[in-house]
Amino acid sequence: MTARRPSVAITLGVLLLDAVPLAAQPLPPALRPTLETANQQHQTAQQQWAARQWRMQMDAPLARFIDDAAQRQTLLTRIYQEARLAGLPPDLVLALIQVESAFKANAISSAGAVGLMQIMPFWISELGLPIDDLTHPPRNLRYGCTILAHYLAIESGDFTRALARYNGSLGETWYPERVMQAWRDTWRQPPQR
């Protein structure tokens, strides 16, 4: 049974609703356990187990890019949540981040794309608020997953074309091939039996 992908309008709405001034500020450490508990209450035991298993499987490959174990787990948790919210495979998001920024949250490309998922600043006026900081990983992941889900919907689930649109290279395959190779070689896990 395949998971139902949320509509782009719903995903974009979630992006806009989440874009409040407090979202631009880091979460105080004392509130983190409360937030994690609240997030887990909306998940079944099976969903919580699947998320934990995925984080454990992805931790070792991510250690090549991020030394700190706590930072890896925090990032993996957020990637999993944002990818699932957007109806994307979380390991594909990892592959895209590897190709785009090598997991550097402050990365800025020569074209001006920012952060983990290399978001062009014009997306702020399309999807968010002027206060949005694209170097802030949770905000960057929300934008990137929303944009990729939008392109995937436009391309009727064709990952090659959606990834090319994401990169701004529609009609070429070099970028999708790089992401798909990273996905296949590093991040994609065999199906659970």
Side-chain angles (χ1 to χ4, degrees), residues 81-98:
Q81 291 169 343
E82 294 299 335
R84 289 296 192 197
L85 180 65
L88 299 170
D91 7 331
L92 173 65
V93 174
L94 283 167
L96 186 144
I97 294 169
Q98 177 185 341

Side-chain angles (χ1 to χ4, degrees), residues 51 53-66 71-84 88-104 116-118 141 144-145 148 159 163 166 175 178-189:
Q53 293 299 309
W54 182 83
R55 284 192 311 267
M56 287 181 358
Q57 291 173 340
M58 297 301 137
D59 188 70
L62 187 56
R64 291 182 20 218
F65 300 95
I66 299 173
Q71 186 181 0
R72 283 195 308 272
Q73 286 303 303
T74 299
L75 183 61
L76 286 169
T77 298
R78 193 59 184 230
I79 289 170
Y80 190 85
Q81 291 169 343
E82 294 299 335
R84 289 296 192 197
L88 299 170
D91 7 331
L92 173 65
V93 174
L94 283 167
L96 186 144
I97 294 169
Q98 177 185 341
V99 169
E100 287 288 351
S101 68
F103 296 91
K104 292 177 178 65
L116 291 171
M117 294 186 76
Q118 292 291 278
L141 291 168
C145 289
L148 184 56
F159 283 116
L163 287 167
Y166 187 91
Y175 177 80
R178 284 183 65 198
V179 173
M180 298 301 264
Q181 181 177 359
W183 189 18
R184 181 184 59 246
D185 294 350
T186 305
W187 306 106
R188 193 164 193 178
Q189 298 299 308

